[in-house]
Amino acid sequence: MTTPVAGEGGVDAYAKLAELGLTLPTVVPPLASYVPAVQSGNYVYVSGQLPMVDGKLSQTGKVGDEVSAEEAAELAKICALNALAAIESLVGLGRLVKIVKVTGFVASAPGFTGQPAVINGASNLFGEVLGEQGRHARSAVGVAELPLGAPVEVEVIAEVA
């Protein structure tokens, strides 16, 4: 059974963003040879999103060293908002049926094992904005390095109508 889109009884993502005091940012331009998001059938695959704000990386460093887990969770929220912006620019949030899968990458200091709590920042944002449509499968992975020295990166697979 498919979850209804906003106009058919689902969550109105635009209204919820406004209620939360959030605005969708401009889509982050790709850093290399790829596009921010691509649609295949009823799915949108969003490229890994960094915590970019106004075209600049908002923080650098390893989580568990220069960046606290709490700060990294806030950065993961920015990544999630950037992912929603990529979906909006490609097909519009009004066509969003469900966030299906989230993969979060955390640039981790040696011994840091709190990756799931960091990526909760993104997961919680999707839940706040989209309700049940924002519940998803997920992986949270610790990595040695991320592009530009980012502490966190989030990629998304979403179903659209």
Side-chain angles (χ1 to χ4, degrees), residues 75-122:
L75 296 171
K77 287 182 184 180
I78 295 170
C79 296
L81 199 57
N82 286 339
L84 290 175
I87 295 168
E88 168 67 15
S89 73
L90 185 66
V91 298
L93 291 181
R95 291 186 52 203
L96 183 62
V97 173
K98 182 155 190 67
I99 300 294
V100 176
K101 174 79 191 267
V102 171
T103 304
F105 303 95
V106 180
S108 302
F112 180 77
T113 59
Q115 293 84 5
V118 169
I119 302 306
N120 278 349

Side-chain angles (χ1 to χ4, degrees), residues 11 17 42 90 118 133 138:
V11 171
L17 284 165
N42 287 341
L90 185 66
V118 169
Q133 292 168 267
R138 189 183 87 179

Side-chain angles (χ1 to χ4, degrees), residues 15-115:
K16 195 62 177 176
L17 284 165
E19 179 184 316
L20 294 169
L22 300 171
T23 55
L24 289 177
T26 302
V27 176
V28 177
L31 300 174
S33 298
Y34 61 91
V35 295
V38 64
Q39 182 178 2
S40 180
N42 287 341
Y43 293 92
V44 170
Y45 297 82
V46 179
S47 297
Q49 298 294 305
L50 300 177
M52 304 285 276
V53 176
D54 296 328
K56 296 181 179 173
L57 190 61
S58 49
Q59 193 167 351
T60 61
K62 299 284 172 72
V63 181
D65 191 3
E66 303 97 342
V67 180
S68 72
E70 295 78 16
E71 289 171 317
E74 290 298 316
L75 296 171
K77 287 182 184 180
I78 295 170
C79 296
L81 199 57
N82 286 339
L84 290 175
I87 295 168
E88 168 67 15
S89 73
L90 185 66
V91 298
L93 291 181
R95 291 186 52 203
L96 183 62
V97 173
K98 182 155 190 67
I99 300 294
V100 176
K101 174 79 191 267
V102 171
T103 304
F105 303 95
V106 180
S108 302
F112 180 77
T113 59
Q115 293 84 5

